[in-house]
Amino acid sequence: MLATLAALAWVWLTPDQSGWHFWWVAQAMPVAYVLLLWWVHGIRSDEPGQR
Amino acid sequence: MGEAWRWRMVAGASLGALLMALSLWLAETWGVSKSSINVCFLVLSIAGYAAIGLVCRTTLSDEYYVAGRRIGAPFNGMATAADWMSAATFMGLTGLLISDGFVGDGERAGGLAYVLGWTGGFCLLGILFAGKINQSGAITIPELLGQRLDSTTVRWLGAVGAILCSGVYLVAQIYAIGLVASMLSGMNFELGVFLALGGVLLCSFLGGMRAVTWTQVLQCVVIVSTMVTLAVAVAWHLHGSALPSWGAGMGLQAMAQRVRDIQVDPAEAQSKAIMRERLAELERKIANPEQARFAERQLLGAKIADLKLQNSPVRDIQRLEANPVWHDSDSHRLVQVWQRERSLIQQELQRAIGFERGSASGTHQGLLNTVCLVLCFMMGTASLPHVLMRSLTTPTPRQAQQSMVWTLLFVVIVYLCASSLAVMIKQVVLTDLVGSAMHALPEWAQNLRLRKPALLTLNDHNGDGLVQWADVRLATDYLVLAAPEILGISAVFTGLIAAGALAAALSTADGLLLTISNALAHDIYFQTLAPKATPIRRVMLSKILLMLVALVAAWIATYRPVDILFWVSCAFSLAASCFFPVLLLSLYWPGFSRAGAIGAMVSGTLLALWYMGTHSLAAAGPATADGLWWGVAPVSAGVFGVPMGLFAGILLSKIWPPTRSAPLSAAA
């Protein structure tokens, strides 16, 4: 969540407003979310699995 | 049925869908009409989903409510993705990006907030809630809350909250189903709603969660494959690239020069100046409606009399008589009409031409509204009961968490394609349409203008006979359905994309219907009136209620609530305000009490409802600027509802601490 807010603030306050920055954030952040979630559940594999 | 067999079934169904698309493409090359192909897509896809519903029919309680808790992570991920990807996602997002760009007009949020909020929410859901919800062993989310806090009141409030946010969402979905069905088949909207609803009911009514799960797995395949196919075809057609993101990147480059040309075009500036004059005129009318109405009626009366004297065509006279000033004597209604027009003109003046930031003065206001909407969507995604419910269908908490990774993967694939598609469509609109003569429009533009409802409206503000960007008004809700026509690719893609949109709306409607009927039957009726009812009686009553809810939602949808995306966004804010604080505190804080839970749900929901109601619904439009807190848009009411709920929950739990701690395992 914090990374998202930071990315938004960075892209908004960047002087070049041609649309490229926004485009890259829209493409890269969702992919980063997938990798993050994959990574988190990867490192939590030692948790007890059964209900 | 083993896991390998399930994969084979899904592969077979996907192959069947592919064969259907190929055979319809062949039919098109043999000269079969476009409308017949579209009807085939509509009928075959609904028949396919209904067939799964029939095969998976059940009266067993565990199968009906939670699909026997046997769904593996990849399948549950696919079902959750289809459950979550609604018509707003599939149709509305591309249209919104075309209309408002990534960052809106610099004051209101644009498509970027939707992309980030709707995907980031799955990180919250996967990390915070999915595993713990599965661990509870409950059947519904209100039941989980009620058992966790040992309170019937909490369970009832949870049920009411689930019905409220799912109900708002459901009406928007059924409206979208009607739109797609009527646009595909040419039948009227109301009939389209009830026909498509038959398909939804056949799935969820007969087989409950079990049938809905397997239908949603197939629908996920349809949604993802149609969006990917369309985006790849468009990227190939325009840029010779099979990668939509790459094609869109090239489109952005090509668009940059075109945007600069439009920005410095004197005709564009002239059109905007005329729009500003109209805006000022509307301000004057709104300030003094009675006088404005009287003056305009006099003017209209003179014109109509003049036309009648000249024996002008009836349609010219009828056009003048259609002006609300002529036929409506209620000045309050007239003010609402003028306010809506003012809001539309303001948006058109401030919107970006390409994907740069719009021209509204409040730069930081735009950032604030985007951040608020992102937060609302993230927390809303992690709190929507019909999405949370899917975490109850996996065998283990670990698989519930892993299924969220699969879900996010499919959602992200669709979003990357949708945003690429938006860039490429806008490129065509700016190069083909803007600058063309009004009497010699591209064929697709002419067709879009003639559709009912019109997907494109052109208003030659400066009367120069040329189209400027300021003259263009696009119907964002269902523009994606016209993408193949705009881009000049095969008509089969129209049927394909509509089949995807229909799958998106049907899958979400299925999940929402189950959530509402289970809340009514399982959490309210049996909890209160018949706690000792047999499992079969419970399932039968759930089915009856499901049918009633579907009919009521369809009836409301026939009143055509405008703006699908707006209503869906409201549902996210409501879900976040009602469920996020109570889920977070009840799952992670042992000191959370039932008084805290009641306070959190009631205060958060009421605040969000009040903020949305007073600033938006009362004005019968997406937003009014007066009295907004820090200028935050009404759809982002969740940013106030969630902190309010957390504050009330913590404060009341400190004042009335829990009397009995109910560990999560005991809730099973």
Side-chain angles (χ1 to χ4, degrees):
Chain A
M1 222 181 214
L2 286 175
T4 307
L5 298 183
L8 277 174
W10 169 74
V11 80
W12 219 275
L13 302 173
T14 305
D16 175 26
Q17 298 297 344
S18 62
W20 273 100
H21 289 76
F22 302 125
W23 163 251
W24 281 114
V25 170
Q27 295 284 299
M29 284 306 289
V31 177
Y33 292 143
V34 179
L35 296 175
L36 170 76
L37 203 52
W38 198 342
W39 177 69
V40 167
H41 290 313
I43 60 164
R44 290 177 61 177
S45 59
D46 54 338
E47 279 196 355
Q50 293 297 324
R51 199 166 27 244
Chain B
M1 191 165 48
E3 197 75 0
W5 264 105
R6 288 177 176 175
W7 278 112
R8 274 177 221 159
M9 297 280 282
V10 172
S14 311
L15 196 67
L18 184 72
L19 282 176
M20 181 183 87
L22 277 176
S23 50
L24 290 172
W25 176 71
L26 278 176
E28 192 213 1
T29 56
W30 289 336
V32 177
S33 74
K34 213 186 278 185
S35 58
S36 309
I37 291 174
N38 288 345
V39 171
C40 276
F41 268 111
L42 178 73
V43 172
L44 288 176
S45 53
I46 290 181
Y49 305 141
I52 296 176
L54 277 170
V55 170
C56 296
R57 65 189 179 278
T58 183
T59 48
L60 298 172
S61 157
D62 212 32
E63 292 287 341
Y64 184 85
Y65 288 119
V66 282
R69 300 189 203 275
R70 287 184 278 109
I71 311 296
F75 291 125
N76 198 53
M78 290 169 92
T80 312
D83 201 3
W84 190 85
M85 282 187 284
S86 62
T89 299
F90 197 86
M91 301 199 291
L93 183 64
T94 307
L96 179 84
L97 281 164
I98 294 169
S99 158
D100 290 4
F102 287 109
V103 281
D105 56 12
E107 195 171 300
R108 296 172 309 119
L112 188 63
Y114 293 79
V115 173
L116 298 188
W118 282 346
T119 50
F122 282 100
C123 288
L124 286 183
L125 176 54
I127 294 168
L128 292 177
F129 298 149
K132 286 187 178 286
I133 287 173
N134 179 279
Q135 211 174 12
S136 74
I139 281 177
T140 62
I141 300 304
E143 184 186 357
L144 178 151
L145 293 174
Q147 291 183 342
R148 178 74 187 89
L149 294 150
D150 194 21
S151 163
T152 309
T153 315
V154 170
R155 186 170 175 176
W156 281 0
L157 284 173
V160 171
I163 293 165
L164 184 70
C165 48
S166 303
V168 172
Y169 209 146
L170 180 64
V171 172
Q173 295 312 309
I174 292 183
Y175 173 58
I177 294 172
L179 271 180
V180 176
S182 60
M183 282 181 85
L184 266 183
S185 62
M187 68 179 76
N188 74 33
F189 171 77
E190 285 76 12
L191 201 61
V193 165
F194 284 98
L195 178 86
L197 201 64
V200 181
L201 281 175
L202 269 176
C203 296
S204 39
F205 179 76
L206 293 173
M209 187 58 104
R210 181 164 81 168
V212 165
T213 299
W214 294 109
T215 314
Q216 284 173 338
V217 168
L218 178 63
Q219 282 163 338
C220 178
V221 173
V222 173
I223 294 166
V224 175
S225 58
T226 50
M227 188 51 105
V228 171
T229 310
L230 182 69
V232 168
V234 172
W236 187 260
H237 179 73
L238 288 182
H239 301 288
S241 166
L243 280 176
S245 295
W246 187 261
M250 288 198 275
L252 265 183
Q253 261 176 337
M255 214 189 302
Q257 184 54 45
R258 182 78 186 117
V259 169
R260 278 193 289 274
D261 291 345
I262 295 172
Q263 277 169 342
V264 296
D265 182 5
E268 182 77 21
Q270 195 187 9
S271 290
K272 285 191 171 172
I274 292 166
M275 287 164 81
R276 282 193 197 94
E277 279 172 24
R278 173 75 185 143
L279 206 58
E281 189 192 333
L282 284 168
E283 295 286 3
R284 280 195 297 274
K285 283 183 179 178
I286 291 165
N288 199 344
E290 280 302 333
Q291 194 184 347
R293 182 174 155 267
F294 180 75
E296 203 164 329
R297 265 184 78 89
Q298 296 264 319
L299 206 67
L300 269 175
K303 276 185 188 171
I304 290 168
D306 203 29
L307 285 178
K308 282 179 179 169
L309 268 177
Q310 291 168 7
N311 272 336
S312 298
V314 178
R315 67 168 184 276
D316 290 349
I317 297 168
Q318 282 174 339
R319 197 177 298 144
L320 287 179
E321 285 176 344
N323 190 325
V325 170
W326 187 251
H327 59 77
D328 204 337
S329 57
D330 185 346
S331 53
H332 180 67
R333 273 202 299 271
L334 280 176
V335 168
Q336 284 185 339
V337 171
W338 290 331
Q339 278 175 335
R340 271 198 294 275
E341 194 183 342
R342 179 181 67 175
S343 166
L344 279 173
I345 293 177
Q346 272 170 343
Q347 284 171 25
E348 281 166 7
L349 276 171
Q350 293 169 352
R351 70 185 169 171
I353 297 169
F355 286 92
E356 75 283 5
R357 200 168 55 214
S359 60
S361 55
T363 305
H364 296 296
Q365 192 61 52
L367 177 58
L368 177 69
N369 266 325
T370 301
V371 168
C372 289
L373 202 57
V374 168
L375 292 176
C376 272
F377 284 154
M378 280 187 172
M379 293 183 291
T381 300
S383 317
L384 279 169
H386 74 285
V387 178
L388 293 173
M389 225 164 73
R390 292 237 49 104
S391 294
L392 297 165
T393 54
T394 58
T396 65
R398 175 107 186 94
Q399 291 196 48
Q401 290 169 330
Q402 284 175 336
S403 73
M404 288 303 126
V405 185
W406 285 96
T407 302
L408 188 54
L409 180 69
F410 292 118
V411 169
V412 166
I413 290 172
V414 170
Y415 276 14
L416 294 188
C417 289
S419 52
S420 302
L421 204 56
V423 172
M424 291 185 281
I425 294 175
K426 191 154 196 181
Q427 184 196 347
V428 173
V429 170
L430 290 184
T431 49
D432 278 16
L433 179 65
V434 176
S436 62
M438 286 280 182
H439 64 272
L441 293 171
E443 195 185 340
W444 61 263
Q446 203 61 270
N447 293 340
L448 259 54
R449 286 178 83 184
L450 296 175
R451 288 251 185 115
K452 281 188 180 168
L455 296 182
L456 169 70
T457 314
L458 295 172
N459 192 350
D460 189 7
H461 291 291
N462 62 354
D464 65 351
L466 294 174
V467 179
Q468 275 85 47
W469 172 243
D471 300 339
V472 178
R473 190 179 287 176
L474 293 159
T476 54
D477 265 356
Y478 26 83
L479 192 66
V480 74
L481 294 177
E485 206 168 335
I486 295 173
L487 299 154
I489 54 177
S490 167
V492 169
F493 285 101
T494 308
L496 204 63
I497 200 77
L502 193 68
L506 287 174
S507 56
T508 309
D510 274 333
L512 290 164
L513 272 176
L514 269 181
T515 307
I516 297 173
S517 65
N518 289 354
L520 282 169
H522 188 70
D523 295 313
I524 294 180
Y525 179 75
F526 291 114
Q527 179 70 23
T528 322
L529 298 172
K532 288 180 183 167
T534 59
I536 193 144
R537 189 174 143 79
R538 286 173 187 245
V539 171
M540 287 316 293
L541 189 85
S542 289
K543 287 184 176 191
I544 292 165
L545 282 170
L546 188 139
M547 190 175 271
L548 286 176
V549 170
L551 288 172
V552 170
W555 173 68
I556 297 172
T558 55
Y559 286 95
R560 300 179 187 235
V562 286
D563 202 345
I564 298 172
L565 210 52
F566 171 73
W567 284 102
V568 167
S569 307
C570 286
F572 275 81
S573 262
L574 276 176
S577 307
C578 182
F579 289 107
F580 192 82
V582 77
L583 277 170
L584 191 71
L585 293 173
S586 68
L587 294 175
Y588 286 94
W589 184 36
F592 192 48
S593 68
R594 72 188 68 157
I598 293 167
M601 280 200 280
V602 171
S603 61
T605 312
L606 287 182
L607 182 64
L609 273 176
W610 174 81
Y611 193 75
M612 283 190 282
T614 50
H615 296 115
S616 179
L617 305 181
T624 51
D626 307 330
L628 293 175
W629 294 349
W630 299 284
V632 172
V635 287
S636 305
V639 288
F640 303 120
V642 172
M644 180 73 206
L646 285 171
F647 173 74
I650 294 168
L651 183 74
L652 293 174
S653 296
K654 289 284 180 193
I655 297 170
W656 291 286
T659 49
R660 186 175 76 92
S661 175
L664 203 57
S665 54

